[in-house]
């Protein structure tokens, strides 16, 4: 059973589970969404809100997430799950954002059910990645900042965003030339570069397609570019790799995939971007004070949205959720409409 079928079944299950929960309470879905703004106004004094059982579970999930290191997150192979992990990591360090998500988690059934499933999935992804890469960092003696820097460089070299780096991508990226590996180069980037061949051959070929995965890229970089010297930070460390990345990205045009799947998702991407553009126009002291007067609890959500909009990793993670999860896309549309009414 392929991923599209799995996602369809998951979305159907989420919707059915939520519908069953509402029907058990004598409420149909249409009535729920019509009544939701009123339900959220039921406790209109934010200061009187006590943490619910759902709120305690939300806090516990965040505490568990804080146990993930930067290396744990950057070793996750899937770009989309890595994006979710980075966005969550950025969000949990901002109390305004986490308080907003907590309100939504407590008050919206679809958000709560989907949130539980997503957090569990992220946890399994991190655990699986840590298990498969347990010996890499220990063997190399590298710290978290090196992993973060290497991940940034790897993603810049991975022109087709496939999750692996081919010899062609390595050649076209000029990474090895930037690292001083092609001083006497005569190949003119025509596919016979000895430096690229040495870099690829450094790895024990466990992947017959001849492409480097991130853990192999770490090993090859450590041995060839830095000659195994752990006293030198890979690619300058997390704080110093951006200049190299800018050079790599500006040296060529990244390939854009144009699959039917992406074309289908494009309308959701554009809708999310349009909502973000409109949302940016709302922020002002006047809109915040009006929201606080109208509904203090929803005002918490609005302020969290304003704070999250300033953090690109949070926005990217929300976009992934909006595009990939039907239940959260429906909830996102509803939340946006409520925030529009509240801000205006």
């Amino acid at each position: 059973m392929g991923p599209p079928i799995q996602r369809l079944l998951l979305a159907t299950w989420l919707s059915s589970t939520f519908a069953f929960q509402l029907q058990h309470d004598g409420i149909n879905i249409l009535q729920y969404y019509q009544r939701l703004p009123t339900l959220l106004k039921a406790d209109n004094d934010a200061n009187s809100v006590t943490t619910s059982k759902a709120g305690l579970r939300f806090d516990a999930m965040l505490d568990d997430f804080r146990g993930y290191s930067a290396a744990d997150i950057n070793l996750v192979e899937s770009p989309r799950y890595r994006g979710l992990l980075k966005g969550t990591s950025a969000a949990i360090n901002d109390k305004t954002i986490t308080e907003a998500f907590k309100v939504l988690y407590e008050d919206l059934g679809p958000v709560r059910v989907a949130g539980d499933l997503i957090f569990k999935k992220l946890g399994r992804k991190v655990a699986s990645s840590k298990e498969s890469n347990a010996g890499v960092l220990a063997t190399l003696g590298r710290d978290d900042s090196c992993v973060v820097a290497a991940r940034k460089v790897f993603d810049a070299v991975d022109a087709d965003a496939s999750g692996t780096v081919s010899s062609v991508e390595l050649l076209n990226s000029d990474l090895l030339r930037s690292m001083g590996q092609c001083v006497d180069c005569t190949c003119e980037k025509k596919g016979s570069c000895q430096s690229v061949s040495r870099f690829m051959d450094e790895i024990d070929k466990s992947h017959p397609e001849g492409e480097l995965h991130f853990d192999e890229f770490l090993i090859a970089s450590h041995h060839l570019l830095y000659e195994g010297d752990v006293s030198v930070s890979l690619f300058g460390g997390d704080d110093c790799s951006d200049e190299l990345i800018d050079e790599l990205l500006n040296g060529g045009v990244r390939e854009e995939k144009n699959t039917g799947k992406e074309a289908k998702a494009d309308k959701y991407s554009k809708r999310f971007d349009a909502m973000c553009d409109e949302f940016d126009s709302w922020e002002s002291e006047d809109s915040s004070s009006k929201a606080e007067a109208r509904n203090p609890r929803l005002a918490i959500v609005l302020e969290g949205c304003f704070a999250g909009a300033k953090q690109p990793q949070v926005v990217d993670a929300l976009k992934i959720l909006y595009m990939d999860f039907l239940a959260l896309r429906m909830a996102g549309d509803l939340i946006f409409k409520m925030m529009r009414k509240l801000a205006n």
Side-chain angles (χ1 to χ4, degrees):
M1 182 169 58
I5 299 298
Q6 292 174 339
R7 282 194 293 272
L8 177 61
L9 291 176
L10 176 59
T12 304
W13 180 81
L14 278 172
S15 302
S16 302
T17 301
F18 184 47
F20 177 81
Q21 176 186 352
L22 294 177
Q23 290 170 359
H24 183 268
D25 296 331
I27 304 172
N28 65 43
I29 293 178
L30 180 59
Q31 289 174 333
Y32 176 82
Y33 282 112
Q34 289 172 337
R35 288 175 52 191
L36 185 55
T38 304
L39 293 172
L40 289 177
K41 289 180 182 178
D43 191 350
N44 212 31
D45 182 1
N47 294 325
S48 69
V49 177
T50 56
T51 301
S52 64
K53 183 183 293 186
L56 291 173
R57 185 164 71 245
F58 180 83
D59 291 339
M61 288 192 298
L62 292 192
D63 287 340
D64 289 342
F65 191 93
R66 290 187 178 96
Y68 302 152
S69 69
D72 293 337
I73 292 173
N74 280 277
L75 284 169
V76 171
E77 186 173 351
S78 165
R80 297 189 82 75
Y81 281 111
R82 201 166 58 249
L84 291 177
L85 287 162
K86 289 182 177 180
T88 305
S89 181
I92 63 175
N93 292 317
D94 189 315
K95 186 177 180 181
T96 304
I97 300 175
T98 55
E99 286 299 317
F101 277 116
K102 187 174 181 177
V103 169
L104 295 174
Y105 183 85
E106 288 181 309
D107 293 352
L108 295 181
V111 173
R112 187 163 57 251
V113 175
D116 287 344
L117 291 172
I118 291 167
F119 264 89
K120 289 177 182 176
K121 181 68 172 180
L122 292 178
R124 289 196 294 269
K125 286 288 183 181
V126 172
S128 174
S129 175
K130 289 176 69 174
E131 182 179 356
S132 61
N133 293 287
V136 174
L137 295 184
T139 301
L140 301 184
R142 294 292 183 176
D143 59 19
D144 282 8
S145 67
C146 289
V147 178
V148 175
R151 171 59 75 179
K152 289 180 180 179
V153 173
F154 181 87
D155 288 345
V157 175
D158 181 18
D160 62 359
S162 64
T164 60
V165 167
S166 68
S167 58
V168 173
E169 288 173 324
L170 198 57
L171 181 66
N172 291 338
S173 71
D174 275 339
L175 170 65
L176 299 182
R177 186 186 303 276
S178 300
M179 303 301 295
Q181 297 292 306
C182 300
V183 178
D184 301 318
C185 178
T186 59
C187 74
E188 298 181 352
K189 297 175 68 173
K190 293 181 179 179
S192 59
C193 177
Q194 291 183 356
S195 295
V196 170
S197 297
R198 281 198 312 119
F199 195 92
M200 301 298 288
D201 290 342
E202 172 67 19
I203 302 303
D204 179 21
K205 296 296 184 181
S206 57
H207 298 281
E209 68 273 17
E211 296 188 341
L212 295 178
H213 292 246
F214 179 62
D215 57 339
E216 298 170 319
F217 181 79
L218 270 176
I219 294 170
S221 299
H222 171 79
H223 288 309
L224 279 181
L225 302 184
Y226 294 90
E227 299 179 346
D229 186 356
V230 297
S231 67
V232 181
S233 186
L234 288 183
F235 306 109
D238 187 22
D239 296 330
C240 304
S241 58
D242 290 342
E243 183 177 342
L244 171 61
I245 293 166
D246 288 340
E247 181 182 337
L248 296 179
L249 293 180
N250 292 334
V253 179
R254 291 184 67 89
E255 298 176 23
E256 295 291 340
K257 293 182 179 180
N258 188 24
T259 64
K261 175 184 174 182
E262 291 186 350
K264 185 177 180 180
D266 189 51
K267 66 176 182 178
Y268 300 128
S269 174
K270 290 181 178 179
R271 186 194 301 173
F272 182 89
D273 291 341
M275 289 192 295
C276 287
D277 289 340
E278 181 179 342
F279 185 83
D280 288 339
S281 69
W282 299 345
E283 186 174 14
S284 68
E285 291 185 8
D286 185 55
S287 64
S288 296
S289 59
K290 285 182 178 179
E292 177 67 25
R294 291 171 181 169
N295 189 317
R297 186 161 175 82
L298 280 181
I300 295 173
V301 178
L302 184 64
E303 289 303 309
C305 291
F306 288 147
K310 296 179 176 65
Q311 299 203 34
Q313 289 184 328
V314 174
V315 175
D316 290 345
L318 289 173
K319 188 171 185 177
I320 292 172
L321 292 174
Y322 185 83
M323 293 175 63
D324 288 2
F325 297 91
L326 173 60
L328 292 181
R329 185 159 61 246
M330 294 171 61
D333 289 340
L334 176 67
I335 293 165
F336 177 77
K337 291 175 182 177
M338 290 193 298
M339 294 299 102
R340 174 195 278 163
K341 184 176 181 180
L342 185 67
N344 296 326

